[in-house]
Every structure is written in structure tokens, then in C-alpha cells.
Amino acid sequence: AQSVTQPDIHITVSEGASLELRCNYSYGATPYLFWYVQSPGQGLQLLLKYFSGDTLVQGIKGFEAEFKRSQSSFNLRKPSVHWSDAAEYFCAVGAGDYKLSFGAGTTVTVRA
Amino acid sequence: DAGVIQSPRHEVTEMGQEVTLRCKPISGHNSLFWYRQTMMRGLELLIYFNNNVPIDDSGMPEDRFSAKMPNASFSTLKIQPSEPRDSAVYFCASSPPESETQYFGPGTRLLVL
């Protein structure tokens, strides 16, 4: 079965600084990969997804992620964070059976 | 376009009471998922429907939990009797045909006293 690890539980970043959230997955074949964001008291919103093709994926809100098969990673990046990016971020992996496995999440705090 | 709709958004009940959570998936989607989110266990898949049929209910905690999908536009998750350890946020998500992408509702925050 597939699984996801998000090594960082909490990250604090200054407004305007760059952000990178790590995600490592375990799956034998090419996975379906997702990043979701959850603002306090809200549901999960899809940021971006990777199924195949170009390994650098652009998403909403200025986020991008890069699929690296050799490292089994799908890290999320943003060049310049805004205070509104403070939220919890979840990486998820699918194996083609329409079910997703989610990581434990990374909470991002943005300081002024 | 309307997203996934869940009701109620908040529910406070007493131990032993029956709780019913409701979900309306996005129109045209044929897969529906119920998740539970807690601090201790994170996001857990409870049950997955495809074309109104339960495909995988291995995540349902115990017999106190039941889920139905009587038609393509409505699903319920019922807890009877409820217990304090059922306190959590319950999410419903739906997917279009032949897609791995899930779209989440806003969640129902359940507190069992």
C-alpha cells in the first residue's frame, strides 16, 4: 500500500520569504500526487496535482511542486509567502484505485 | 459552481445520542468519500462509495458507524450511539468519473459531550 511522509510538523517563515514543504511517498509504480491546503476551520482545498508528464507542476496561489522519482519526493514551493498562506498543508498519494493516502500535515506559520 | 455541501457545519450532542451527518457531492461526480480528522490520527478514510455502492468500508471504526448513499446526490454518515471519542471533524469529498482528484466539503465539526 502507498504511504506519505511529511517530515516537518511545523514551519515558521517570514512574510516575503520562500517556502518549501517536503513530501516523501512510498509506492512501487508512478503515483498520483497531490497537495492540499487547509485554512483554520476550513475544508481541504486542492493546490496542485501530478499524474504524468512535466515533473514541475504549477498550482493555484503561486505554488509549484516538483516530482522527483529518484528521491520519491514531491516537494511544494512558493517563492514569496504572504500572511494568508498560514495554514496546514497536506501531501497525498493515490495508487490508481481512487483512494488517497494523506500525510500528517505541515503547519505553516507566517511572521510579519 | 457549488462545491461539496455538508450539513450541519457544527454539531454538539450528548453521549448516547444519534448523530447524522449529511453530504451532497458535486453534480456529476460518481465517487464519494467520508473522512474523519483528529489531532491524534490525522485524516482517516472511513468509507468510499462509487456509483452509490459502498466499495470500501474498512475504515469504519465499529458498528456504531453506518453510511448510506441512496442516490447520486446525497449521502449520510450516522453514529448511533455517539461517544465522546467520536468528537472530530468529518469531511465528505467527491470525485468525477475516472479521476483520482478529490474535492472536499467544508466539514462538520462534531463534539460529543
Side-chain angles (χ1 to χ4, degrees):
Chain A
Q2 68 274 26
S3 65
V4 177
T5 301
Q6 293 181 246
D8 304 304
I9 296 174
H10 189 201
I11 286 180
T12 298
V13 61
S14 297
E15 192 169 16
S18 64
L19 174 68
E20 181 167 13
L21 304 182
R22 296 183 291 163
C23 172
N24 295 99
Y25 67 89
S26 173
Y27 182 60
T30 300
Y32 299 90
L33 294 163
F34 305 82
W35 275 101
Y36 287 85
V37 60
Q38 184 179 25
S39 298
Q42 302 298 313
L44 279 72
Q45 180 182 20
L46 180 67
L47 282 176
L48 49 77
K49 59 188 177 184
Y50 172 79
F51 288 177
S52 65
D54 192 345
T55 57
L56 185 62
V57 180
Q58 301 297 320
I60 63 171
K61 306 186 180 194
F63 284 92
E64 67 178 25
E66 186 171 13
F67 171 57
K68 292 186 177 180
R69 183 189 304 274
S70 61
Q71 299 177 18
S72 297
S73 69
F74 188 57
N75 294 349
L76 182 72
R77 298 192 294 257
K78 185 169 184 176
S80 176
V81 299
H82 186 261
W83 64 266
S84 60
D85 294 322
E88 189 162 17
Y89 292 80
F90 293 92
C91 182
V93 60
D97 59 356
Y98 306 112
K99 296 191 296 182
L100 299 182
S101 294
F102 285 83
T106 298
T107 299
V108 173
T109 298
V110 180
R111 59 184 175 215
Chain B
D1 290 341
V4 175
I5 299 172
Q6 292 187 247
S7 65
R9 293 293 308 277
H10 302 271
E11 177 81 27
V12 180
T13 190
E14 293 188 345
M15 182 174 62
Q17 296 299 304
E18 178 180 295
V19 175
T20 299
L21 310 182
R22 296 173 176 80
C23 175
K24 177 178 171 56
I26 295 171
S27 178
H29 287 196
N30 70 336
S31 292
L32 185 140
F33 306 83
W34 282 101
Y35 289 88
R36 178 172 65 178
Q37 185 181 42
T38 60
M39 291 289 291
M40 292 297 295
R41 301 174 67 91
L43 203 58
E44 304 173 275
L45 176 65
L46 300 177
I47 188 168
Y48 153 48
F49 291 88
N50 183 256
N51 293 325
N52 313 337
V53 176
I55 303 300
D56 185 349
D57 65 355
S58 59
M60 295 287 265
E62 48 199 270
D63 291 345
R64 297 185 299 107
F65 284 69
S66 62
K68 294 182 180 180
M69 192 164 185
N71 56 62
S73 59
F74 185 65
S75 177
T76 59
L77 178 67
K78 186 175 295 186
I79 308 173
Q80 168 62 22
S82 58
E83 296 182 3
R85 60 192 169 118
D86 301 330
S87 299
V89 182
Y90 291 81
F91 288 105
C92 178
S94 68
S95 286
E98 305 300 321
S99 173
E100 302 286 325
T101 305
Q102 296 181 20
Y103 299 87
F104 282 75
T108 295
R109 283 150 184 79
L110 174 65
L111 177 61
V112 182
L113 302 174

